[in-house]
Amino acid sequence: MKRVLLLLFVFFSVSVLAQNTEYSIVVKDLETQLPIENASVVIMKTKQILLSNAEGKVTFILNGGTNVQVSEPDHEDLTVRWTVLKESQFVVYLKNRHSKLDEIVLSKESPQKTLQKIISSSRKKLAMPYRLKVYVREFFSLDNKYSYYNDGLVNFQFTVNQKKVNTTLLVEQNRSYGLLENDVSADLKGYNLNNIMENYSNLSYLDPLLSPKAKKEYDFFTKGHPSNTDYYIMSISPRDKSKIAVDNFEIVYDPVKKVIMEFSITITPRTLAEKVDKIGVGAKNITQSVVKVNYRLDGLDYYLLSSNEEIAYDLILKDNKVKKIHVRNNFITTNFNKQKFSYKDSDVFKEKTLFNKRNKILTNYWDISGFTATEEEKVLISALDFKL
């Protein structure tokens, strides 16, 4: 009887494994044949969301058949039928919209007033209880050499308190590679995960544009989206005589549905060149700063899709020594769900960053959880993994 049960168990295990198949899709532009980065790939059966990397690639595992939806704002949407998918690398071609509607948008309402309404509307739509499964990763460079890497698959539970979003974080899996020297201060050990997610949901990064003084500090300019007739682009840049404003903003929004689809914040090289470096010990002189955040609108559901943040600065030490710091962080939403997850208080991750989390690896989640590393990134990671 035991032998029969063992055979049944082995047969069942083999059957399950045989049904789990890994697929790779590369998304390319139909005309240029170039890979498309940040294209959304939705697995219809599981509702899993993936984002193509710089090579246009996504990887996922399926048990059974399903159609796949591929979309990107500058290209026409495409549904790939299950019957044409292949287990090996499959190329999907998207057709460019070619609308070229980058003309200036005229309105009786001031651009700042329009932006205030768009931000307010977006905040209201984001302020709802739900949870996101998110793949998080972070590259850390010290003195122009990659010295640390961490990533993880985490769950954020969103709650709303007085119209402001708060998050609770649970870590499913995570890994950390590399070592940092002992004298690296705590604020250099990664982004505060809860704070950064709450800022994305509350759109706190755009607060400087809502102040009445912003009219004197920034120039606002609105035009049609060059590839998508549904969207407008608002560009906001510091005025030449501004003594406070240093960031350049670009906000892509839907003027009918009144939601922000994407925003980016950068500091131009010219602005950095004009800044006077601080020389005191402990001072941080920024050499690069980039934030890019994308949102997804699916029917009534509106939530963070992905984010990329990159900051580099020179840390002033004693005896005029300088330490060059460079941190690159990515969030990629893999699943949206309106159901709350149940958990114990002891399950909640209360630290600021995965840097402080002990490694917990159950599966190769980094290969199938939202964002496939490029070949260049794989080389960087493998150069550090011997220290795991």
Side-chain angles (χ1 to χ4, degrees), residues 300-341:
L300 298 177
D301 299 330
Y302 178 55
Y303 53 89
L304 173 81
L305 175 60
S306 66
S307 71
N308 300 280
E309 291 209 30
E310 196 165 354
I311 186 168
Y313 54 88
D314 293 338
L315 180 64
I316 307 301
L317 306 176
K318 295 180 180 178
D319 301 322
N320 295 322
K321 293 182 179 179
V322 176
K323 182 178 292 184
K324 294 184 179 297
I325 306 295
H326 187 175
V327 184
R328 177 156 57 98
N329 178 283
N330 303 97
F331 276 28
I332 302 98
T333 294
T334 67
N335 192 269
F336 169 90
N337 200 317
K338 290 184 177 179
Q339 294 181 344
K340 292 183 178 180
F341 48 65

Side-chain angles (χ1 to χ4, degrees), residues 143-208:
D143 293 330
N144 299 320
K145 182 179 179 181
Y146 280 99
S147 56
Y148 191 79
Y149 173 82
N150 68 45
D151 67 11
L153 192 60
V154 303
N155 286 286
F156 289 93
Q157 177 67 59
F158 292 75
T159 56
V160 182
N161 183 14
Q162 295 180 347
K163 296 183 180 180
K164 193 171 184 179
V165 174
N166 298 301
T167 59
T168 301
L169 174 60
L170 279 77
V171 179
E172 285 189 14
Q173 301 185 62
N174 69 286
R175 60 176 178 166
S176 296
Y177 287 160
L179 295 172
L180 299 176
E181 73 236 54
N182 294 329
D183 65 340
V184 175
S185 58
D187 63 320
L188 305 184
K189 296 178 181 177
Y191 291 84
N192 186 320
L193 296 179
N194 274 315
N195 279 2
I196 195 172
M197 181 58 84
E198 289 169 3
N199 287 336
Y200 293 152
S201 298
N202 295 317
L203 294 171
S204 302
Y205 285 77
L206 304 181
D207 282 346

Side-chain angles (χ1 to χ4, degrees), residues 131-134 152-155 169-174 341 354 357 360-363 365 369:
R131 63 184 169 97
L132 295 182
K133 187 186 292 289
V134 179
L153 192 60
V154 303
N155 286 286
L169 174 60
L170 279 77
V171 179
E172 285 189 14
Q173 301 185 62
N174 69 286
F341 48 65
L354 291 179
K357 175 71 174 173
K360 180 182 178 182
I361 301 174
L362 305 176
T363 64
Y365 64 89
S369 296

Side-chain angles (χ1 to χ4, degrees), residues 105-124:
V105 175
L106 301 177
S107 173
K108 293 181 180 180
E109 187 175 62
S110 71
Q112 191 195 36
K113 190 69 175 178
T114 299
L115 181 61
Q116 289 172 344
K117 291 181 178 179
I118 295 295
I119 292 176
S120 176
S121 174
S122 299
R123 281 174 171 169
K124 289 178 182 178

